[in-house]
Amino acid sequence: HHIWWKVAGGRGWCRLCSDVLFDFTGTDNGEALPESIPSAPGTLPHFIEEPDDAYIIKSNPIALRCKARPAMQIFFKCNGEWVHQNEHVSEESLDESSGLKVREVFINVTRQQVEDFHGPEDYWCQCVAWSHLGTSKSRKASVRIAYLRKNFEQDPQGREVPIEGMIVLHCRPPEGVPAAEVEWLKNEEPIDSEQDENIDTRADHNLIIRQARLSDSGNYTCMAANIVAKRRSLSATVVVYVNGGWSSWTEWSACNVRCGRGWQKRSRTCTNPAPLNGGAFCEGMSVQKITCTSLCPVDGSWEVWSEWSVCSPECEHLRIRECTAPPPRNGGKFCEGLSQESENCTDGLCILDKKPLHEIKPQSIENASDIALYSGLGAAVVAVAVLVIGVTLYRRSQSDYGVDVIDSSALTGGFQTFNFKTVRQGNSLLLNSAMQPDLTVSRTYSGPICLQDPLDKELMTESSLFNPLSDIKVKVQSSFMVSLGVSERAEYHGKNHSRTFPHGNNHSFSTMHPRNKTPYIQNLSSLPTRTELRTTGVFGHLGGRLVMPNTGVSLLIPHGAIPEENSWEIYMSINQGEPSLQSDGSEVLLSPEVTCGPPDMIVTTPFALTIPHCADVSSEHWNIHLKKRTQQGKWEEVMSVEDESTSCYCLLDPFACHVLLDSFGTYALTGEPITDCAVKQLKVAVFGCMSCNSLDYNLRVYCVDNTPCAFQEVVSDERHQGGQLLEEPKLLHFKGNTFSLQISVLDIPPFLWRIKPFTACQEVPFSRVWCSNRQPLHCAFSLERYTPTTTQLSCKICIRQLKGHEQILQVQTSILESERETITFFAQEDSTFPAQTGPKAFKIPYSIRQRICATFDTPNAKGKDWQMLAQKNSINRNLSYFATQSSPSAVILNLWEARHQHDGDLDSLACALEEIGRTHTKLSNISESQLDEADFNYSRQNGL
């Protein structure tokens, strides 16, 4: 038998078993109570209800409760210590279904108790229940003080986003226990992300709108709340804007005049879509105008009647009139009425065969009429024959002029295209009668058509550069007869590529007197038709330099590149026709196509070819390639400028590329823009000259690639046209951001000058500028003086890229050639002699060059060898190329010679030698005076 009793009011337990007594005494300070009781029939306590985690709000205590069965006693243990019995509230009941005792216990936990606890974990409590079989423990319930701070860790920020863009509003709620729940409000209304798939609020309390809609504009507020309080963030205003888009162009309106020169227009509206909520308005023009010209119909009108003829045997006389005052033209109406009248010339008193006229038999009258008819027909035949003979003789007399002008462009005052066909040799009227004509070739020339007839002058006013009118066929039978008719554009049929300009540009070649049209014909026939610039020179073992004046292109043949006792005629040319390199995709031609030869020539040392380019060099924005044309006419890539290669070497400077090559051929530089920040450098210049009309003055604004050869082509054209450079050319940085170029004339003096309508501002599409392939791009503006006494012109030419760089050309000139200040075309002319051979072609004397090579070609333990020489001369890339050469130092010096062709001194080389040559005894005898003397001799020989 087991004997149980309770000791010390239930705080201790004793058990007598097998005559052995065990006692357990609990004390008031919370010492451990028994974890088990004697074994007895029954089950372990099972918790029906366990204590839950709880939060103390403000100063209100919380109650923890637990319930178990069968349970003789239940006590709480908090933070490892037993809770005093007096703090327990216990209730006991009987489970009717099982007959077991059910005990339920409550305790209260205060804020002070939680605050006074300082442990490694949160304040916790658990229940321990006893039954006859043993004890059971409940889960631990943590008790924490609830709070929510006032300030958000991150408030949402207002945004302006385009329609269909993504909106992300960040919100970090205040710190709190328990953690705050976040809710978003839009205009004080809760947002339900489950009902709108476009909205997501699950990502770390952020609000994400995947595609913004106009309806998403509003004020957004982040709400944070827990069991203690609620907090509101600052409101964030979201604006969804719409950038404006152009509608389609309307159809061109009818010409505003029935005949003569007028205009047509078309329009578009910024409604596709219309800008909303501060969105950008459409860029560009909403109205476009073009000129329209049609010949006015002229109705015919009668001349005065002729005198009456003599009275005929039939007693009638005639008079006639012709429809020639004026004759009907251009679809005009023919004269109304009769061209011939007849009447009785005797007032009815004429008698034939003794009979009154009214009694004459009809047969007699018919016979008389037949005679008159046949007489008139005979006279007409004779007149036609005389006219035919006269015209034939006249044309034979005029055919000696030997000129037949056909197929010109529209008579709009711009550049027009003519075909001049040589039909006779030795004609004294040709400019150079000694030249042998090619009867199989027709050449295409560009020039203005200047007609002095007032009606023709109206047809001759300029048109916009980008809105050419229909072309006109001009057939000139002599220098004084012109007839007009519509035709297609003239095509080029010659062996040499013609140099034409865009239609609609007003290029005048000379100021003509109205009574003398000969200068006009002469200027047209004297236009150049070259397709390339070319220079040659004979070089031997000593090498030399071949320079294309004023183009930036040069060729350096090193000393020893050509074997001894051999000499070659080396040529170099620049293609000035249509480039044969057709760009692929986004690739842009950045340099001229340069050919050097002969192609079968073999050199023992790489030669240096210098090619100008127009790129604003930056490896971050450009990927620049060197390409070569094969014998089949295809272009293949030789290398990328940034790549490592042992076949050739490219040294890219801001305005030129110096290439070391071992084979001749045709080379060019291309660039592939990597970003929209890639920049082409354009040279902008303005030229001016008088037009056919003495009151007009023409301004021509050129935008060409910033290479000397491209600008030289413009200069050559202007010299043939009598153009004058009005302002120093300037550089324009043109970005590859797809925005177009605008050219406009500003600040024209009022009451002195005026500009023709619709031509004050002209816009060039981006692709035309970016992919110009070196073809001169220009716009023409025609200004008109109010009176001939105005001789001074001042205005501004604004050239700017939309959302890009802008340049202003200030024009201040006299239109009188005698008073005009001359501006030189080139600041520094290249060498007068394009071919220089032997020592005078090199800046470094051969003796000094040998000592430098002997010093640096030998590897040095301290690293002061040819690699140091390259580094000090800013040659830091692709050094493996020089390692493959028999004399790396010689190749480096050749590159230095090509790079410093126009330098005035040898300072850069002297500084490099001084810095790295102090420890080299072989260089100690290269004094500064020797370099100065060499520099002086080179400068004197080359006119620097």
Side-chain angles (χ1 to χ4, degrees), residues 461-482:
T461 54
E462 80 294 341
S463 70
S464 175
L465 173 64
F466 307 111
N467 297 290
L469 300 180
S470 302
D471 292 348
I472 306 295
K473 175 179 286 184
V474 180
K475 184 76 173 179
V476 179
Q477 301 293 352
S478 71
S479 58
F480 300 101
M481 298 176 62
V482 179

Side-chain angles (χ1 to χ4, degrees), residues 448 450 508-512 519-520 523 690-692 721:
C450 300
S508 300
F509 288 81
S510 65
T511 303
M512 299 196 315
Y520 158 65
N523 272 329
M690 296 293 292
S691 66
C692 307
Q721 301 170 43

Side-chain angles (χ1 to χ4, degrees), residues 658-705:
H658 311 283
V659 190
L660 294 176
L661 301 163
D662 54 11
S663 63
F664 290 93
T666 301
Y667 296 90
L669 289 174
T670 64
E672 184 178 359
I674 301 175
T675 67
D676 288 347
C677 295
V679 171
K680 274 183 67 175
Q681 297 185 23
L682 302 181
K683 181 170 287 188
V684 294
V686 57
F687 290 79
C689 72
M690 296 293 292
S691 66
C692 307
N693 184 348
S694 61
L695 292 179
D696 289 350
Y697 190 77
N698 294 325
L699 296 177
R700 291 183 290 275
V701 181
Y702 290 85
C703 298
V704 297
D705 292 349

Side-chain angles (χ1 to χ4, degrees), residues 743-906:
I743 304 175
S744 54
V745 181
L746 308 174
D747 299 344
I748 301 173
F751 310 114
L752 296 177
W753 293 86
R754 63 184 175 187
I755 191 168
K756 299 298 178 64
F758 317 126
T759 63
C761 180
Q762 301 186 25
E763 187 166 334
V764 188
F766 168 82
S767 59
R768 181 130 181 234
V769 182
W770 189 252
C771 303
S772 61
N773 290 334
R774 286 198 325 101
Q775 297 304 309
L777 173 68
H778 80 286
C779 294
F781 300 91
S782 182
L783 306 181
E784 184 179 0
R785 295 181 288 172
Y786 283 96
T787 64
T789 58
T790 301
T791 60
Q792 297 294 322
L793 172 62
S794 65
C795 63
K796 293 180 181 178
I797 307 294
C798 176
I799 305 103
R800 74 181 188 99
Q801 184 185 19
L802 298 178
K803 296 189 178 180
H805 191 214
E806 178 183 42
Q807 281 289 11
I808 300 292
L809 297 177
Q810 182 69 51
V811 176
Q812 184 74 39
T813 186
S814 171
I815 64 173
L816 299 180
E817 189 170 355
S818 59
E819 301 178 2
R820 188 181 302 151
E821 180 182 356
T822 302
I823 300 176
T824 57
F825 290 131
F826 294 99
Q828 175 181 335
E829 296 288 330
D830 282 328
S831 174
T832 307
F833 307 100
Q836 300 169 303
T837 59
K840 66 179 182 181
F842 302 96
K843 302 189 71 172
I844 307 173
Y846 184 63
S847 59
I848 296 180
R849 183 187 184 92
Q850 283 183 311
R851 275 178 280 174
I852 294 175
C853 293
T855 301
F856 291 110
D857 283 344
T858 304
N860 186 281
K862 296 182 179 180
K864 294 186 177 182
D865 52 13
W866 63 266
Q867 297 189 48
M868 180 69 72
L869 180 65
Q871 180 182 354
K872 295 303 179 181
N873 284 281
S874 302
I875 302 173
N876 303 314
R877 187 187 50 79
N878 195 15
L879 297 183
S880 59
Y881 171 82
F882 300 97
T884 62
Q885 305 299 320
S886 59
S887 176
S889 301
V891 179
I892 292 172
L893 294 179
N894 294 337
L895 194 58
W896 185 93
E897 289 274 4
R899 193 177 191 182
H900 296 274
Q901 174 183 348
H902 294 294
D903 286 357
D905 53 47
L906 291 167

